[in-house]
Amino acid sequence: MSLLHSCRCKVARRPRLPQGGEKVAYEIGHPYDTGVMPTGDGHHIYWELYGHPQGKPAVVLHGGPGSGATPYWRQFFDPGRYRVVLFDQRGCGRSLPNAGDDVSALENNTTADLIRDLEALRRLHSIKQWLVFGASWGSTLGLSYAVRQPHSISELVLWAVVLTRSSDVHWITNVMGDVYPHEFDHLLLQLPAYPKDGNIPLAFNQLLRSPDPIVADAAARAWCGWEDRIATLNGPVVPSRRSEDPRLRLGFARLVTHYFGNFAFQRDDAITGSLDRIAHIPTFLLRGRLDVANPLRAAYEVAQGLSDVTLEIVENEGHGAGEETTARLVAVLDKLASE
């Protein structure tokens, strides 16, 4: 049985990639407008507009949870053809309160809350429909948003696709613990006792909420070290910028374990059981074959449930956006801007 037949999706041909130093992505420019949107329940969401004020509307959903909408995300969009809304999700970046400062940032902070923020931002900027662009946790949020608000979305472009189900959380902890046993055992040293339900992120979240800054920081260091291990496919672990910053690593670790430990605050079939609601939305999914942060089957299952979908697999890349992943994303966004 062919992949095309078994997943009922289009598997696109490999595009021509830049050669000899050609530019892969767009030069990162500056936003033309910024602001803060109060949510009415204790949060203030930072947003910015980038590109052309009359361009094709798009919204960026960053990963993490808790990574923030850094300038990095602007490189994928042609600033002459897109009007891009970027925002820091609750508890991170320039949104307040920040989980790196205050555990109150975890209150009123669920997937449903983030979806309400998306709709409020769409209305704030008088957008009827927008393209949803997201990666990693942002793909979970994007799909969750889509099945609840399908009429708000023109297209979905999602990469490093994950679903944040209980089985996916088990994968990134327990299953990967069999791949990296030394680092996994070091992670578990932070826990007073192995959780009976096996929910390691939730147990870590309790430590990360500790009023003792030494306890909280030790847990943050351990969790971010594990994330860095998963992100480094081979060789010595490459620490991320957030791992070296006390405030960033604490906020990131609090938000990730908050969402992972509660399985994105939704049923395991919240996405896969509702794909009929978004079957009409043109969808592009991209995964690295070497992405060990989540099973590739997650993206495959989503593709199986959709009709107007393209699933591409980059054979030699992992969870982050390498050159080929970046080139493919820019190519599909360019194509959609021209339609």
Side-chain angles (χ1 to χ4, degrees), residues 64-65 169 172-174 183-184 186-188 190-191 199-205 208 216-230 240 242-243 249-261:
V169 172
I172 199 173
T173 51
N174 304 72
E183 293 88 343
F184 186 63
H186 180 74
L187 177 74
L188 296 182
Q190 296 297 319
L191 298 179
N199 192 331
I200 294 169
L202 193 61
F204 257 87
N205 192 251
L208 291 159
D217 185 61
R221 286 178 180 272
W223 184 267
C224 288
W226 178 247
E227 292 258 0
D228 290 339
R229 172 68 274 178
I230 297 300
S240 62
R242 64 171 172 259
S243 297
R249 67 175 172 248
L250 179 58
F252 175 81
R254 279 175 170 170
L255 284 163
V256 170
T257 57
H258 175 66
Y259 273 87
F260 283 14

Side-chain angles (χ1 to χ4, degrees), residues 15 18-19 43 50 80 88 153 157 165 184 200 204 209 222 269-270 276 297 335:
Q19 303 293 325
H43 290 267
Y50 175 72
D88 292 325
I153 299 169
V157 178
R165 300 168 295 189
F184 186 63
I200 294 169
F204 257 87
R209 290 170 177 261
D269 67 346
D276 58 304
R297 181 167 290 277
K335 179 176 181 293

Side-chain angles (χ1 to χ4, degrees), residues 6-160:
S6 63
C7 92
R8 300 197 303 275
C9 61
K10 296 173 285 186
V11 181
R13 293 180 180 178
R14 177 173 174 162
R16 187 190 74 81
L17 298 178
Q19 303 293 325
E22 292 180 44
K23 185 171 64 176
V24 174
Y26 289 97
E27 182 178 350
I28 297 174
H30 299 283
Y32 66 83
D33 195 10
T34 64
V36 174
M37 180 187 73
T39 63
D41 59 2
H43 290 267
H44 292 78
I45 306 302
Y46 170 86
W47 58 262
E48 60 186 35
L49 299 178
Y50 175 72
H52 195 290
Q54 279 74 52
K56 179 181 176 66
V59 63
V60 169
L61 306 182
H62 64 71
S67 296
T70 62
Y72 163 88
W73 292 95
R74 303 174 199 155
Q75 68 179 310
F76 299 100
F77 297 91
D78 181 346
R81 295 192 290 175
Y82 274 98
R83 176 192 182 197
V84 187
V85 180
L86 302 99
F87 73 104
D88 292 325
Q89 295 164 27
R90 294 186 180 213
C92 72
R94 293 144 293 187
S95 293
L96 294 173
N98 188 289
D101 303 323
D102 192 342
V103 292
S104 70
L106 305 182
E107 297 175 7
N108 300 317
N109 199 333
T110 68
T111 302
D113 292 314
L114 300 183
I115 290 171
R116 281 192 288 272
D117 293 343
L118 277 162
E119 281 296 273
L121 283 166
R122 185 180 63 82
R123 291 190 296 268
L124 176 67
H125 296 295
S126 302
I127 295 171
K128 182 178 180 181
Q129 285 188 321
W130 50 13
L131 179 151
V132 173
F133 181 80
S136 190
W137 157 253
S139 67
T140 295
L141 178 56
L143 288 165
S144 300
Y145 173 50
V147 298
R148 288 168 175 80
Q149 299 289 340
H151 301 299
S152 300
I153 299 169
S154 57
E155 300 94 4
L156 287 165
V157 178
L158 306 172
W159 57 282

